[in-house]
Amino acid sequence: MDISIESLPKIIRDGIREKGIVSFTPPQIEALRSGVLDDISVIVSAPTASGKTLIGELALINAVLRGKKGIYTSPLKALVYEKYQEFRFWEKYGFRIGISMGDYEVTEEELKRLENYDIIVTTYERLDSIMRRRPLWMNNVGTIVIDELHMLGDRSRGHIVEMIAIRAKLMGIQIVGLSATIGNAEEIARWLNAKLVKSDWRPVKLYEVIAYYSGRSEDRQWYMYLPKEIFNDQSPIVVDDITKYWILRAVKEGFNVLEFRYSRKAVEELASIYSIVLCANLDHKDRAFLDKLAEELEEYVPDFEYEKLAPLIRCGASYHHAGLTPEARRFIENAFRERFIRYLAATPTLAMGVNLPARVVIINTKYFNGRSLEKISVLEYKQLSGRAGRPQYDPYGIVVVAKDSRSMNESLSYIMGVPEPITSTLLSDEALRKHVLAVIVSGEVNTFDKLITFFSNSFGASRLSGDVLRYKLSSAVELLEELSMIRSRETDTKTLLTPTKLGITTSWLYIDPLTSFIVIEGLRDRTNVSDLYYLTLIGMTPDFSDISLPKGLYEWFSDLAEEYEIMGEIPPERIEHSFRDPGINWMRGFIIGLILRDWIEEVPERNIIEKYGIEAGDLRVIRENGEWLAYAASAICRVLNMDNHANRLSVIVERIKHGVKEDAIPLARLRYIGRVRARLLLNNNIKSVEDILRYREKIIRILGESWGSKIILEAERFVEQKQ
Ligand code: ADP
């Protein structure tokens, strides 16, 4: 089939031309040949920056031209937002583009709002939530684009991708899966009845540089085989520090270097060491510019984060890991993209999604798993190396492979290696109980036989015998019955499955059924419990199990936990043992409870962080999760007529949201009033929005002209809106 821009529908042709695209990349041509614009499902497995997004984008537009809706889904909020902005390009051609994000459950109004759009951009979790609600307009969805489809194998979120794909498949919706290079793409394509487009094409040539060291640490030397085409150095070259070698080149030739390691401490150390190298080699002009850049950072991030990052940024170096606040991460990403930051040491969180290429990527391959040294997978290596070489800016990309290895074999095992196959995570106990409940609540399934049919369509089922699948599903059904989430009733011919009100609420709230159970178990038959009790209870639920806390805290606080338990200040430890599930953890609950209680008692952020040895980004995640789960717990209590607890929890939700005591909530709801300003106003006897409007001069006196008048304006708007 001839594939040229001319052969496409006119609107697409015009759009593409306006985007300045004159020809398609090889994976794009292949995808078009495979029939991606003829309603055929396609999986594209190709390197980063090979133009996969455009394939998805065209499939979505084409769905709308066929009178259908299109959905694009990806793993990160930041990515969803980025794609939403990108796709809004098509609004001038009359397409209605919408985004769905949000912290709590999907509401009726939200479902109605979404009906108005042709193309909806959203995260995996949100799409799964929407699909659970089965809005009527879902029947009119023609195409779902699943970005980063290799996430299917992700331990904590793969099952969500799998559920989206199963539903799309069963509803006859075209699936366009965009994936990094994976080992078993054929198998995944077969599962989805999709055509496979597999390509190694990259817009920028990639050189993989073999590296290894020999000698003891004092007299260690590194060997590197540089590509002859671009460097005249004789091969191999011997250096005493690989990273330093590339940083010096980067300063001279004006490019940037990205190094991956796998612990927060390790990347912070790297950034600190090489900031010294950089500072010694930058000229005055660069230094002056970087000083200004560091000053700018102060506006965006908490002061204690600024204090750590500023000295590095002044030298053009930084680290990047999940302990940073999102604001700090965005700032660093931008500065690196602009090449103000020359050297970035990062954990692999950065490799997922965010578009952040570097001319040179240095990859360490070993990490400590708590007990022993492990090696990263070939799949991971391919994803990290995909960051090397920025289209339009770099003539080529360089990956230094396995800097931390003792022989060239290790580099070779990655360079020649085939990415490991992706496996399903849907049939684990934890994932299964959530999704079995979801399909019973949604009405997608109402008998046990239909449950089996549904999950026979999963990717995981293809590797299981029918008996094992049946056994797993009946265990999940039994558990859900025991938790009063569903009822099952035998008739002559079938087993009928119906959800209870509690089950429906749990599924719509998007929480683990065991989370509901723990909330109920901890609060039933209790009347007056402390804030810490509530906070510990939500902290011990499986929906908090992804949070990692410093190991030492568990020991440090264990005596205190026992004391508090005896006093009835926190839930009894036995709740942890009422179900054998690794996600439930009483001690973790207590620590999270303490952190959140400090937060809502207005303890300064810096003190919390120092006291518990966590970082600003961790506190942010704990706050967000805590707010969501307090909200969910409140909704669960409401369903079970435990109104007293529901009301108390609603107050806690707002307190977590703003980080304040109860008396400050009315003030903290206003824009520009954070926890510090709210307390300042309260100390001056300003207690409400009405007070702000009543004592305007006083407000100006307390907060100064600029902030004072801004806040008064907000108060006016607030009152207006309320009326
Ligand atoms: P991927 O999704 O595969 O990682 P992207 O879709 O982000 O890659 O594409 C990388 C860059 O290439 C983007 O800036 C995109 O606009 C550009 N691009 C995509 N297709 C083409 C094309 N056919 N011609 C020129 N540039 C393209």
Side-chain angles (χ1 to χ4, degrees), residues 20-25 28 46-54 83 86 147 178 355 391-392:
I21 289 173
V22 288
S23 63
F24 289 122
T25 66
Q28 290 167 348
T48 313
S50 57
K52 296 189 290 295
T53 306
L54 188 71
K83 296 296 175 192
E86 213 175 313
D147 205 352
L178 310 177
N355 179 24
Q392 283 129 39

Side-chain angles (χ1 to χ4, degrees), residues 105-134:
E105 84 268 38
V106 181
T107 58
E108 261 332 299
E109 296 88 74
E110 175 69 354
L111 291 174
K112 248 205 215 117
R113 183 182 75 87
L114 294 176
E115 186 168 7
N116 297 321
Y117 297 111
D118 298 314
I119 293 173
I120 298 165
V121 188
T122 190
T123 56
Y124 296 157
E125 279 79 3
R126 192 84 172 160
L127 179 55
D128 185 22
S129 293
I130 293 170
M131 288 179 130
R132 288 180 180 194
R133 302 293 296 275
R134 295 220 289 172

Side-chain angles (χ1 to χ4, degrees), residues 90 138 253 414 668 713:
W90 294 95
M138 197 47 101
E253 296 167 38
Y414 285 103
L713 216 66

Side-chain angles (χ1 to χ4, degrees), residues 675-693:
R675 59 207 302 246
V676 177
R677 282 201 187 114
R679 188 51 51 196
L680 186 64
L681 291 173
L682 281 163
N683 288 343
N684 282 283
N685 231 358
I686 304 281
K687 296 191 178 110
S688 63
V689 177
E690 289 71 26
D691 283 352
I692 294 180
L693 296 173

Side-chain angles (χ1 to χ4, degrees), residues 51 309 369 545 565 587:
L309 288 169
N369 70 1
S545 61
E565 186 191 11
M587 204 46 220

Side-chain angles (χ1 to χ4, degrees), residues 426-427 429 432-433 435-436 439-440 448-456 458 461 464 466-480 486 497:
L426 178 60
L427 302 180
D429 293 346
L432 210 53
R433 66 183 178 240
H435 295 296
V436 166
V439 294
I440 295 172
F448 190 67
D449 287 339
K450 284 188 189 158
L451 191 67
I452 294 179
T453 310
F454 186 97
F455 284 95
S456 306
S458 65
L464 276 190
D467 284 346
V468 176
L469 182 65
R470 176 180 276 273
Y471 172 76
K472 279 176 171 286
L473 289 171
S474 67
S475 304
V477 165
E478 240 170 66
L479 173 72
L480 291 170
I486 61 166
L497 302 172

Side-chain angles (χ1 to χ4, degrees), residues 640-695:
L640 299 177
N641 298 320
M642 303 198 287
D643 283 335
N644 180 33
H645 289 307
N647 295 340
R648 289 275 314 277
L649 280 159
S650 302
V651 174
I652 289 183
V653 172
E654 281 219 81
R655 290 182 61 191
I656 300 178
K657 185 184 187 99
H658 304 296
V660 295
K661 296 178 188 164
E662 190 167 353
D663 61 346
I665 292 176
L667 291 174
R669 279 183 190 146
L670 274 197
R671 211 163 133 210
Y672 304 129
I673 301 192
R675 59 207 302 246
V676 177
R677 282 201 187 114
R679 188 51 51 196
L680 186 64
L681 291 173
L682 281 163
N683 288 343
N684 282 283
N685 231 358
I686 304 281
K687 296 191 178 110
S688 63
V689 177
E690 289 71 26
D691 283 352
I692 294 180
L693 296 173
R694 209 172 299 142
Y695 306 110

